[in-house]
Amino acid sequence: MNSPRSLLDVSSNQKAFKTYIKPLLNIELLLVLYILLFISGFTTQDGYLFYNEYRAMQIILLLFFGLIACFFQRDKISKGELVFFALVAVGSIFWAQPAFVISELLLAYLLYKSFGLLQYRQLASKLLVLSSLTMFIELPLALWDYIQTGKYAAIWYPLTWNIRVYDSYFLLVSIFAVWLYLTNQRYRYLYLLFLFLAFLAILLDAGRSAILAYTLFIVTVSIFYRHVRYPLILVYISSWLVYLSVNYIANLNAVRSLGMDSQILRVTTSLRDDLWMNAYQCWSKQPLWGCGFYQLDGYEHLAAHPHNLFIQVLSETGLLGFCFLFYVGINILKRINWQSRSRYFVIAALSAVGVDMFFSGVHIYPVTQMVLLWLFVFLLKNPEFASDSLVPSTPKNLIMTLLPSLFYVVVSLWFIDLLVATEVFLSEVPFTPPRFWVYGYRL
């Protein structure tokens, strides 16, 4: 017969398991682990080949999620997915250089299947925000160097990604930080510290799209959540004050030592009008189907994408592809519980992401794609935001039940062939903006 003490020990062990161990036994932490590699600056490749490394790891992780969804959870196919694959099949006949567009569309499909599998875990979001604080360890050294030389360089970033990747990353993680602060989580001051440092880094990079998106997000949240209004506004203003002060001191030193003109605000150039006009000219050739991947061969001095998700989808996949994007957007809005007070936070987050996508190329990078995936899991599957009215139908047709497995096999074979045939980790490549492999020339 068990003694009361032994029963108490078993009960305490079970409680400890549920409290400390069980939260760690979930596939969502695999996605967080992938992002932690980015935070730590992990790479085994020289030059810019680490981009391919993160793309390959992304594909392997998404294929693993897809495997679980299709074969272990008996995932069902939807009519929308059938239309999607029909669009890919027919569009490949009309698109120029279809391998680029097909690869990106199939990657989007894997992200969609992963979204269906993943569940929101607050622990994962906390790890994401708190771990991201370590990225700012060398920022004071970069600021000191800027003050001394008058030239700012973002050499404190763990990897030599395009700085816009970090700007968009900080924007996305700031959304989690604000929610954790807003809901009175522990270590609230750390979330405010992240917001301050994240916006300061964006300002130093002169990331205008991220600045607009961050500002819109903070303003919207401050309007609808009065109990956090003043702390958020204070942090926002503090970032601006530190940024302006550092710039002013650095420019004064530059004038004294080098005779340079004083310039308080850092600026960047923009070719958005040229990019968008280029995309329009490409789209006008085939308005219905689009022109596929269009930049590398025909426009050598422009980027490999128009720095606008919506224009990119329209120009590359035509009106049909854009209608499909519109359909996805409608389904996202249907998933939101518009009766909840938390809807204002969702509006703020989606508006910020929309602004950033409208002016930047965040969606083409593997890391930011994975953070966006987690953000949509957070916004659309968190009980605070999600609507309970949508219950997915379960078709009884055997063919519709088996199709997901067939599609998964086809998609897997496509990416396995890319990994093997394109030799993604070999030799140097021209330096142009990234697309799928470094930097679009592998396909």
Side-chain angles (χ1 to χ4, degrees), residues 7-80:
L7 292 175
L8 182 61
D9 291 339
V10 172
S11 177
S12 60
N13 290 337
Q14 291 177 342
K15 184 177 180 181
F17 174 82
K18 292 180 179 180
T19 303
Y20 301 107
I21 305 300
K22 191 174 180 180
L24 302 177
L25 302 178
N26 58 78
I27 59 175
E28 288 75 18
L29 287 183
L30 292 176
L31 187 146
V32 176
L33 176 61
Y34 175 86
I35 300 172
L36 288 178
L37 295 177
F38 166 75
I39 293 172
S40 64
F42 169 82
T43 180
T44 62
Q45 302 296 314
D46 296 326
Y48 286 89
L49 289 180
F50 65 81
Y51 172 83
N52 282 2
E53 186 174 56
Y54 277 84
R55 178 67 82 192
M57 289 190 294
Q58 177 197 23
I59 291 173
I60 293 172
L61 181 58
L62 293 179
L63 285 174
F64 174 72
F65 288 157
L67 176 68
I68 296 176
C70 291
F71 291 96
F72 294 95
Q73 288 200 345
R74 298 295 181 183
D75 193 24
K76 304 297 186 297
I77 200 74
S78 66
K79 293 180 180 179

Side-chain angles (χ1 to χ4, degrees), residues 222-250:
S222 299
I223 290 174
F224 292 105
Y225 295 91
R226 298 179 60 181
H227 65 287
V228 297
R229 176 182 302 169
Y230 295 112
L232 291 183
I233 293 177
L234 179 61
V235 167
Y236 178 84
I237 295 175
S238 298
S239 296
W240 269 110
L241 290 176
V242 171
Y243 164 70
L244 293 174
S245 299
V246 170
N247 272 278
Y248 183 75
I249 297 172

Side-chain angles (χ1 to χ4, degrees), residues 8 16 56 63 78 125 156 228 255 257 277 323 337 341 360 377 424:
L8 182 61
L63 285 174
S78 66
S125 295
W156 57 278
V228 297
V255 171
S257 60
M277 183 57 64
C323 288
N337 181 6
R341 176 173 169 75
S360 76
V377 171
V424 295

Side-chain angles (χ1 to χ4, degrees), residues 143-154:
L143 293 178
W144 178 253
D145 183 69
Y146 180 32
I147 291 174
Q148 295 296 311
T149 64
K151 295 181 180 180
Y152 174 76

Side-chain angles (χ1 to χ4, degrees), residues 39 132 166 208 249 265 282 330 377 434:
I39 293 172
S132 297
Y166 284 97
R208 287 169 297 183
I249 297 172
L265 295 177
C282 178
I330 293 298
V377 171

